[in-house]
Amino acid sequence: MKEEKWFGINRKTIDWFPTIDYDICNGCMICLECNHDVFGKEDDKPVVCNKDNCIVGCTACAIVCSEGAIKLPPKEYLRRIARHRNSSCSCC
Ligand code: SF4
Ligand code: SF4
């Protein structure tokens, strides 16, 4: 099921989704095993077609990709968002 919010934050405002380095992707398609319908297939290569379906904080596809071709943002990105949400500071 698609997340609408992540800890109260609108999912659409969070840039959490995989990116693929096609220079090193070998086309094994194991990443398509993600059952959140994030990946599709085009010309024998995986493509990220539903980026907002990606579960915020998940890194499973990057872990199982044997070539290291999948990248996700660093966890620090999420910590920053969470800190900003919890902050009462209005200057940033
Ligand atoms: S798991 Fe990695 S190497 Fe295999 S198709 Fe996906 S991105 Fe390419
Ligand atoms: S990070 Fe998780 S939810 Fe997102 S595409 Fe990869 S396996 Fe699927």
Side-chain angles (χ1 to χ4, degrees):
M1 197 171 86
K2 194 170 164 180
E3 286 178 308
E4 298 298 331
K5 296 213 167 187
W6 180 77
F7 292 98
I9 302 167
N10 185 341
R11 172 65 182 93
K12 287 185 192 304
T13 66
I14 302 174
D15 288 329
W16 188 274
F17 53 87
T19 53
I20 302 167
D21 183 341
Y22 291 106
D23 288 338
I24 53 179
C25 168
N26 66 12
C28 72
M29 298 298 169
I30 197 76
C31 50
L32 268 70
E33 297 291 320
C34 165
N35 52 18
H36 296 285
D37 201 26
V38 175
F39 294 100
K41 191 176 169 186
E42 226 175 79
D43 299 328
D44 292 326
K45 291 283 184 190
V47 288
V48 176
C49 49
N50 292 308
K51 66 187 178 89
D52 288 345
N53 279 13
C54 183
I55 303 299
V56 175
C58 180
T59 58
C61 54
I63 292 167
V64 299
C65 174
S66 61
E67 306 304 309
I70 298 180
K71 298 281 181 265
L72 284 131
K75 291 278 167 77
E76 182 52 31
Y77 169 66
L78 296 179
R79 289 192 195 100
R80 258 201 325 272
I81 290 175
R83 273 199 301 271
H84 191 266
R85 173 185 178 272
N86 294 332
S87 167
S88 56
C89 171
S90 61
C91 56
C92 56

